[in-house]
Amino acid sequence: MPDKPPQAGIDHTQWPDILEDVRSIVLPALTHWQSPGFFGYFPANGSWPAVLGDLISTGLGVQGMLWQTGPAITEVETRMLDWMAHLGGLPDRFLSTGAGGGVIQGTASEATLVAMVAARHRFRKAHPHTNPGTLVAYTSNQAHSSVLKATRIAGIEHLRLIATDANHAMDTEALRTKINEDLNAGLTPFYICATAGSTSSGAFDPIDRIAAVRAEHCPDAWVHVDAAWAGSATVCPEHRWFLEGVEHADSYCTNPHKWLLTNFDCDLFYIADRANLIDAMSVTPEYLRNSATDSGEVIDYRDWQVPLGRRFRALKLWFVMRHYGAEGLRAHIRQHVAWTEWLERQVLADDRFELAAPRSLSLLCLRLTGDRDHETKALLEAANATGRVLLTHTTLPDADGRERSTIRVAIGGMGNTFESVQALWQLLTELADAATSDAT
Ligand SMILES: *Cc1c(COP(=O)(O)O)cnc(C)c1O
């Protein structure tokens, strides 16, 4: 590409040139997230109903910072978040019809941050003389990096990464011990982030036990549940068990933009008592004053998020739900879980490989058997070098607590098929054979 922008514009007859440039310059330099062979990170789902919703949102060119600046933007969003709460079996306390409610955030990272800000606000209101420098946040050592980022942005000085158990879930006795140590040292626990489906291995922190520790030792602390990836699976009743205890959480989030057919960006953030958030975030300059806001009877979603402005993102969710229905969404999740179960059976039956963590929904973490970290890493690189698949890695502690090289297989991309999962397994076994014969 030229290093300076063009001086003269073009007319519509020259548009094919731009598209040709997209084809020749951009496409070859992309990671193809929608490819059948994409099993990296977590998926970035999209679907044509969602794309249409986004297109209409963009075409309407509206801005939903306040109820007054486009009432339907707010009203449709509120209804969609209530629909999604019903669909995922969330407790009624998160519905907009009570004291709670939901909002679309751009990302789970923003949800974690605004929950932290609301938590601090609520805490300091109850304890106005608390020194802000003593506030402590807790999450597990498997939690997403966005929790650390949120503490940095919010200026929280203490973050404890709590030890995890053999399944990589938060050890609540370790949480209890740490909270008590901190209390004894004059510090102030105010926020606990539980992860439902960790990024590395899909581990589920026990929300009910975390809430019980909170109730016992620091009842004014906030519990936020980050179900960014796994939350999509709760549209299936059989995949809701990991939400046990969520009725004690103060907030919850999940990303349909990962695994629920809705293109980026779309994070659903729910709060049990919306007043905490609005109180913490609301600032009204004269130029935004209006009679609807003053009436106190409408939602102004700008008070629920970091930015002021907001797109009409609820349209894409509405379209997805109308197009697929609850049954279609369940079928989407169930096929991916079934393919992952198939892959799990292959791994368990093959003594060249072992699981590095229990299968979590549609995420499988595996490695070569024995003390072969180097070969596991080489196998992953060799698989990616074929250009046929994309896998990403992590490290997970083994039974002796040693961090071991691990291949993550995240199924659930729009392009994935049972055939592409079978082809992945074929490739991995071929490469494992090559790795073994190299070694001998
Ligand atoms: C992907 C992920 C995130 C970050 O998601 P964004 O929406 O990109 O901020 C946070 N937490 C968990 C557990 C995740 O898997």
Side-chain angles (χ1 to χ4, degrees):
M1 297 170 75
D3 59 3
K4 298 271 161 49
Q7 288 303 315
I10 58 170
D11 64 47
H12 69 275
T13 61
Q14 291 164 293
W15 259 90
D17 297 349
I18 296 185
L19 296 180
E20 184 44 43
D21 284 353
V22 170
R23 230 167 266 129
S24 62
I25 299 171
V26 176
L27 293 192
L30 284 178
T31 299
H32 296 282
W33 286 69
Q34 312 305 332
S35 157
F38 185 92
F39 300 101
Y41 308 99
F42 278 132
N45 276 189
S47 64
W48 66 260
V51 170
L52 270 183
D54 243 5
L55 210 56
I56 292 179
S57 161
T58 306
L60 290 172
V62 289
Q63 223 270 39
M65 55 193 183
L66 301 165
W67 183 90
Q68 178 103 333
T69 62
I73 307 174
T74 298
E75 304 259 342
V76 173
E77 184 160 330
T78 305
R79 181 54 53 94
M80 282 312 102
L81 272 284
D82 283 349
W83 277 17
M84 293 300 293
H86 287 301
L87 204 56
L90 283 182
D92 287 353
R93 69 198 302 237
F94 293 118
L95 296 178
S96 68
T97 45
V103 61
I104 301 179
Q105 304 279 348
T107 61
S109 304
E110 290 161 82
T112 297
L113 173 65
V114 298
M116 195 176 282
V117 170
R120 174 175 56 191
H121 184 82
R122 184 179 76 178
F123 195 94
R124 296 196 64 204
K125 218 166 143 188
H127 306 276
H129 301 297
T130 302
N131 171 357
T134 66
L135 294 173
V136 191
Y138 301 81
T139 197
S140 91
N141 61 20
Q142 295 293 309
H144 192 264
S145 53
S146 51
V147 184
L148 172 60
K149 201 176 195 177
T151 59
R152 288 201 194 157
I153 295 170
I156 300 299
E157 290 171 31
H158 310 282
L159 173 66
R160 309 290 185 226
L161 299 180
I162 302 299
T164 43
D165 64 17
N167 292 331
H168 314 298
M170 189 192 287
D171 174 348
T172 50
E173 283 316 301
L175 174 68
R176 183 195 303 281
T177 305
K178 198 71 208 166
I179 285 176
N180 279 316
E181 274 176 29
D182 286 337
L183 286 168
N184 289 334
L187 296 175
T188 317
F190 86 107
Y191 180 84
I192 307 170
C193 179
T195 310
S198 65
T199 313
S200 252
S201 71
F204 296 104
D205 292 346
I207 304 167
D208 50 348
R209 278 189 276 137
I210 289 170
V213 169
R214 185 262 310 259
E216 205 177 318
H217 302 287
C218 48
D220 292 334
W222 189 281
V223 173
H224 174 64
V225 177
D226 176 4
W229 161 70
S232 290
T234 62
V235 300
C236 304
E238 72 274 25
H239 300 314
R240 283 183 198 155
W241 56 269
F242 58 80
L243 290 186
E244 197 181 327
V246 77
E247 67 276 14
H248 303 300
D250 297 288
S251 54
Y252 169 85
C253 83
T254 182
N255 288 355
H257 70 226
K258 277 184 170 162
W259 192 19
L260 208 61
L261 293 154
T262 309
N263 46 295
F264 194 86
D265 50 348
C266 185
D267 167 88
L268 311 181
F269 174 67
Y270 291 95
I271 187 159
D273 186 351
R274 60 180 177 266
N276 291 314
L277 183 61
I278 295 168
D279 239 34
M281 310 274 281
S282 182
V283 185
T284 303
E286 186 55 34
Y287 48 80
L288 292 180
R289 291 194 71 95
N290 65 87
S291 54
T293 299
D294 288 346
S295 76
E297 282 171 15
V298 299
I299 289 176
D300 290 325
Y301 275 132
R302 66 170 184 145
D303 296 333
W304 298 51
Q305 61 176 23
V306 174
L308 171 63
R310 53 201 331 271
R311 296 188 292 122
F312 197 169
R313 286 179 293 211
L315 272 183
K316 60 187 173 190
L317 261 183
W318 190 25
F319 286 14
V320 164
M321 276 188 273
R322 290 187 68 172
H323 180 79
Y324 292 95
E327 287 168 10
L329 297 179
R330 289 184 196 121
H332 172 74
I333 297 292
R334 282 176 182 147
Q335 66 180 352
H336 296 142
V337 174
W339 301 342
T340 317
E341 286 169 340
W342 176 86
L343 186 62
E344 177 187 27
R345 287 195 295 276
Q346 311 313 304
V347 172
L348 290 173
D350 190 320
D351 53 17
R352 291 168 294 187
F353 290 94
E354 63 189 21
L355 294 182
R359 178 185 56 80
S360 177
L361 303 167
S362 62
L363 176 68
L364 201 66
C365 291
L366 47 102
R367 60 188 175 221
L368 288 168
T369 333
D371 199 0
R372 297 209 291 157
D373 270 17
H374 183 74
E375 288 89 339
T376 296
K377 229 186 264 170
L379 190 149
L380 173 86
E381 279 160 22
N384 287 345
T386 65
R388 279 144 58 191
V389 299
L390 189 135
L391 299 164
T392 49
H393 77 281
T394 189
T395 63
L396 287 170
D398 63 13
D400 301 325
R402 271 195 316 132
E403 287 293 330
R404 299 284 308 279
S405 202
T406 301
I407 298 174
R408 291 170 75 264
V409 181
I411 293 172
M414 296 303 292
N416 293 162
T417 60
F418 184 44
E419 289 69 32
S420 75
V421 175
Q422 290 175 304
L424 169 70
W425 177 242
Q426 174 80 23
L427 178 65
L428 290 178
T429 51
E430 281 166 20
L431 293 170
D433 281 340
T436 308
S437 60
D438 286 352
T440 51

